[in-house]
Amino acid sequence: MADLTTNFIGIKSPNPFWLASAPPTDKEYNVRRAFEAGWGGVVWKTLGEEGPPVVNVNGPRYGAIWGADRRLLGLNNIELITDRPLEVNLEEMTRVKKDYPDRALIASLMVPVNEDSWKAILDRVIETGCDGVELNFGCPHGMSERGMGSAVGQVPEYVGQVTEWCKKHSDLPVIVKLTPNITDIRKPAQAAKDGGADAVSLINTINSITSVDLDLFAPEPTIDGKGAHGGYCGPAVKPIALNMVAEISRSPSLAGLPISGIGGVTTWRDAAEFMALGAGNVQVCTAAMTYGFKIVQEMISGLSQYMDEKGFTSTSELVGRAVPNCSDWQHLNLNYVSKARIDQDACIKCGRCYAACEDTSHQAITMSEDRVFDVDDSECVACNLCVNVCPVEGCITMEQLAPGTVDERTGKVVEKDYANWTTHPNNPGSCAAE
Amino acid sequence: MTNSPFTPGLASGRLAAEDYASNFGDLHDPLDDHEALVAADRCYFCHDAPCMTACPTDIDIPLFIRQIATGTPEAAARTILSQNILGGMCARVCPTETLCEEVCVREVAEGKPVIIGQLQRYATDKLMEAGVHPFTRAAATGKKVAVVGAGPAGLSCAHRLAMKGHDVDLYDARPKGGGLNEYGIAAYKTVNGFAGAEVDWLMQIGGITLHTGKALGTDLSLNALKADYDAVFLGMGLGGVNALRAEGEDKSGVSDAVDFISDLRQSEDLSSLPVGRNVVVIGGGMTAVDAAVQSKLLGAENVTILYRRSRAEMPASRFEQDLAASKGVRLVFNAKPVRVTGNGAAQAVEAEYTVSGPDGLKGTGETFTIPADQVLKAIGQTLEGAPDALTIEGGKIAVTGPGRTSVAGVWAGGDCASGGEDLTVTAVAEGRDAAEDIHASLTGA
């Protein structure tokens, strides 16, 4: 079993699987159960400032979309930060950290954008013995209407300012949690870094309406006939999160900024993908809310097995390993030519590749009277759509044409040398490109 | 319960009352909403799907399954019923394992097809339970058509003609419509009076008048029908049965399986039906299986199907064979009856093993005896009472194309007509196609 011990910005945990600040981490009872189940760390449900706590709606807080057999693919929520008194949360955090010294315990914070408010909450939080703080600049619903959460995260200047205050008023490591509801994730990440943040965590939830009740004509979840947008999370958001993590990882000015990866992590494989794109650890919420805390056991065994198979002895050997291969379109090799290949033994003759290619792509798949499907190399542009719609994994693959062979579609010999758009003759700016 | 499975001879009431109810319950529990969604999701929505090609009525199966998957089973039912107005019954009785489900790409790939039949039942049940009849009649054409036989072929033909605006007189020799759906299929395949309910539902189209107790040859003549109507469709099925041509066939306790099934289907009280302690069913088709299984379900101690050819050659599908075996029916292949023995009443069947050779089937000379106080003959039905004017071919009314007989203005379809397998779904297709041809010929369309 590979050692999964993780040191994230100086915070040690027995594995890189933390529970994100969310409903599962709102109470001592839940967090103790999480630690007993094996979670490496917990980001406690976001704390607000002293005083009467926020209130939540008393109707549904969650909406969802499902795949086959009602598998939950995406969840949206309109729950606010903790609605329990600050004092109660702090006492519980103190007790839990004392009983689980080897686990990471992070305090998530959200207070109004003024220095006194942040100083006040930090003074209180430090006393719990927690390992760090996470600044919640992400929640896109409810709190953002009050000038907090994503309303801060969408303004890089605010992100930088609050980060500075937090570094000034405590010695705790500061993680800045970013909202994806922004056009360029690198801007708030840069502001966090410039403000002195030890790390960023992303993504928080995405503005969303999961569905519309077609009888009530109201968005889901519906409360007394009305609905408000919520924050979207779960497996459906993973591709968006992966891209944003990669954008930060490969940005030269952000290089080396530690990242806690969040967004649809459901299995060990998801976690490994985030880590390969530069996340030092991951945070999980929806998967735990769907299946309970026990899933961490699969994550631990799966990541461990994978690392053993790869010969990695530390998670740090995995972190960032895919970053050098994240490129821009203009730098992709245009001399790499491939063609779809159908394994006739594996083909079950459903014809979906044919329908997809014939109706919506390049008419590069032929169908015989006895339902044999073949690729017409003279039309195949290697788009990969047939691979993606084929219900049999591994039945259709893309085969690279060796340099020196002729691409039947273009009639040209496949060149062995790398060449991209920046130097392509059709590119009007090719002379200037470098 | 005065008798038991061990009571000798023919006896009724071999089982407790509750056993009859459970034995003759639904063969497949209907799918609930979630089961239907999960099952529908397995469909790959194949291009030019093999299941569609295999369906004699050409139902757009991928489309109706997608309609179920998206929460519109009523639309799915319309897709089914527009091709096959008896889609509800076909969902229950079709040998899907040799039709659509046999060629489902998931059957070929995994040995687990999409359960098309059960999904079809789910969709059609939803619509019919809501009492919805989704079709309306075209403007009246003023044409009248006689349809003889209210079985699957006749019902299908009548419905399509009525839809096209023609008026239909639908004649049947029996007291009820439905044909073999009502009289000739195992009870556990069509529970709760579904056959009758389906006929009532189908008749909601309007323009069809059902005349029962009218048989061709006795009450009706083809010449009179031709004179009175603009077109005639014959779908009266096969009224006769083949003889055993074995010694002792006349002994009491020997009867036709179709009559046994018909009595059972029409029975108000299954405990009143006599069944043997030792039943031997002779034949290898669906009728043989239906009779054998239901004998067992009525409380017979031993039930044997005697089939003269091999398992592979048995017309009843492997699913049907396994169903029979699971109910405790013994299947004996490559054996033919030689004589029925007994003093007045049947006591045993003496049989001889057979072997297939270049000269056909031959007895090996080795014989054996099976105790039998009831012998049910299921060795095929024959055409009876076909009008002399019609050309007969291979024991059936010869037809070309969409059911055209040798006589102008007369169409035929279903089991009584040549071509196609003797299946409900085939009869529906033939009735429908003949109706379209009749419509074209009457309107010049």
Side-chain angles (χ1 to χ4, degrees), chain B residues 344-366:
Chain B
Q347 288 183 339
V349 171
E350 193 181 314
E352 180 184 11
Y353 286 113
T354 63
V355 65
S356 258
D359 308 326
L361 205 65
K362 283 202 308 197
T364 64
E366 184 186 353

Side-chain angles (χ1 to χ4, degrees), chain B residues 307-349:
Chain B
Y307 177 55
R308 63 197 176 124
R309 297 183 187 275
S310 69
R311 181 191 278 280
E313 291 164 290
M314 194 174 197
S317 69
R318 184 62 192 239
F319 173 82
E320 293 286 335
Q321 296 170 25
D322 290 348
L323 174 70
S326 76
K327 301 294 180 189
V329 173
R330 181 176 166 231
L331 299 163
V332 176
F333 301 100
N334 295 108
K336 62 174 185 183
V338 179
R339 65 179 64 85
V340 180
T341 59
N343 183 14
Q347 288 183 339
V349 171

Side-chain angles (χ1 to χ4, degrees), chain A residues 218-365:
Chain A
E220 304 260 24
T222 308
I223 293 174
D224 194 21
K226 306 283 184 193
H229 80 268
Y232 198 41
C233 54
V237 310
K238 186 184 119 185
I240 297 164
L242 285 177
N243 176 57
M244 288 187 165
V245 166
E247 285 290 290
I248 292 172
S249 291
R250 70 195 192 90
S251 166
S253 70
L254 293 168
L257 178 65
I259 299 168
S260 185
I262 311 170
V265 175
T266 308
T267 67
W268 73 266
R269 186 178 292 273
D270 299 327
E273 291 176 19
F274 272 93
M275 293 169 80
L277 287 177
N281 71 4
V282 294
Q283 296 183 32
V284 177
C285 173
T286 309
M289 291 181 75
T290 310
Y291 302 108
F293 288 145
K294 198 168 92 172
I295 52 162
V296 74
Q297 294 174 16
E298 164 269 310
M299 293 181 175
I300 290 169
S301 64
L303 185 62
S304 203
Q305 179 182 328
Y306 169 75
M307 285 173 55
D308 285 345
E309 286 165 5
K310 290 288 173 191
F312 300 155
T313 54
S314 159
T315 54
S316 61
E317 290 179 70
L318 169 60
V319 174
R321 220 173 170 94
V323 175
N325 292 326
C326 292
S327 184
D328 289 326
W329 191 96
Q330 62 179 343
H331 294 126
L332 298 176
N333 184 4
L334 294 174
N335 282 342
Y336 178 90
V337 181
S338 59
K339 300 288 178 188
R341 292 288 172 257
I342 300 173
D343 177 347
Q344 297 298 341
D345 292 332
C347 176
I348 62 172
K349 306 190 187 301
C350 69
R352 273 170 51 168
C353 57
Y354 174 81
C357 195
E358 191 71 9
D359 285 354
T360 72
S361 292
H362 300 85
Q363 297 77 49
I365 293 181

Side-chain angles (χ1 to χ4, degrees), chain B residues 212-428:
Chain B
T212 55
K214 301 283 183 193
L216 191 64
T218 50
D219 311 297
L220 307 165
S221 79
L222 184 59
N223 281 339
L225 292 173
K226 277 182 65 189
D228 294 346
Y229 292 92
D230 297 297
V232 178
F233 175 82
L234 302 177
M236 65 281 193
L238 301 172
V241 290
N242 284 319
L244 201 56
R245 291 195 297 266
E247 194 183 315
E249 189 172 356
D250 55 345
K251 294 194 190 299
S252 77
V254 181
S255 63
D256 291 322
V258 289
D259 293 336
F260 171 78
I261 293 169
S262 167
D263 290 347
L264 194 150
R265 284 293 305 278
Q266 299 306 312
S267 169
E268 298 282 318
D269 175 13
L270 293 171
S271 71
S272 70
L273 286 178
V275 69
R277 175 182 182 178
N278 298 304
V279 179
V280 172
V281 181
I282 296 163
M286 302 270 264
T287 301
V289 172
D290 285 356
V293 170
Q294 294 190 114
S295 303
K296 192 71 190 165
L297 298 179
L298 281 176
E301 184 194 357
N302 299 302
V303 179
T304 307
I305 290 178
L306 203 62
Y307 177 55
R308 63 197 176 124
R309 297 183 187 275
S310 69
R311 181 191 278 280
E313 291 164 290
M314 194 174 197
S317 69
R318 184 62 192 239
F319 173 82
E320 293 286 335
Q321 296 170 25
D322 290 348
L323 174 70
S326 76
K327 301 294 180 189
V329 173
R330 181 176 166 231
L331 299 163
V332 176
F333 301 100
N334 295 108
K336 62 174 185 183
V338 179
R339 65 179 64 85
V340 180
T341 59
N343 183 14
Q347 288 183 339
V349 171
E350 193 181 314
E352 180 184 11
Y353 286 113
T354 63
V355 65
S356 258
D359 308 326
L361 205 65
K362 283 202 308 197
T364 64
E366 184 186 353
T367 61
F368 59 98
T369 300
I370 312 173
D373 33 40
Q374 185 170 24
V375 178
L376 296 171
K377 297 179 288 181
I379 48 178
Q381 285 102 267
T382 56
L383 183 62
E384 212 173 48
D388 294 339
L390 299 171
T391 302
I392 305 296
E393 172 186 288
K396 297 196 171 194
I397 299 169
V399 294
T400 54
R404 295 175 194 166
T405 69
S406 56
V407 176
V410 180
W411 282 257
D415 291 357
C416 69
S418 64
E421 288 186 84
D422 288 351
L423 293 174
T424 305
V425 64
T426 308
V428 172

